[in-house]
Amino acid sequence: ISVAQLGLLGAVRPWLSAAASIAVPAWTDRNGHHRNVLAGCLAASVMLRACCWGTNDFGVIFALLASSELLGAPVNVLADAAVLAN
């Protein structure tokens, strides 16, 4: 991976995280699936990040990290909401 590609990975993650941190918790609030979404997002995010270990292809790494970020970002918001609700 080149330096420019590494920079792109670092630059895209906060934007994806911001969008997912708003959209997914809003959806769970409307539909009441907090626990299922929290567990599913956490498990999927960890599995996607683990898949990055075996590849050097930038496209694959980008897709895996972008997907992982989209699924991992709501975990913090949903976990905070769960703690405050109890």
Side-chain angles (χ1 to χ4, degrees), residues 2 6 8 15 17 20 22 27 33 46 50-52 61 63-64 66 84:
S2 72
L6 188 60
L8 180 62
W15 291 99
S17 177
I22 295 169
W27 182 85
H33 298 292
V46 169
C51 290
C52 290
I61 292 172
L64 289 170
L84 293 174

Side-chain angles (χ1 to χ4, degrees), residues 13-14 16-18 20-22 24-26 28-29 34-35 37-43 45-46 49 68-85:
R13 288 180 57 214
L16 294 172
S17 177
S21 292
I22 295 169
V24 174
T28 59
D29 284 342
H34 293 90
R35 182 176 292 163
V37 172
L38 175 63
C41 283
L42 180 61
S45 178
V46 169
R49 288 190 187 240
S68 176
E69 194 65 35
L70 284 171
L71 291 170
V75 171
N76 292 333
V77 177
L78 293 171
D80 287 344
V83 168
L84 293 174

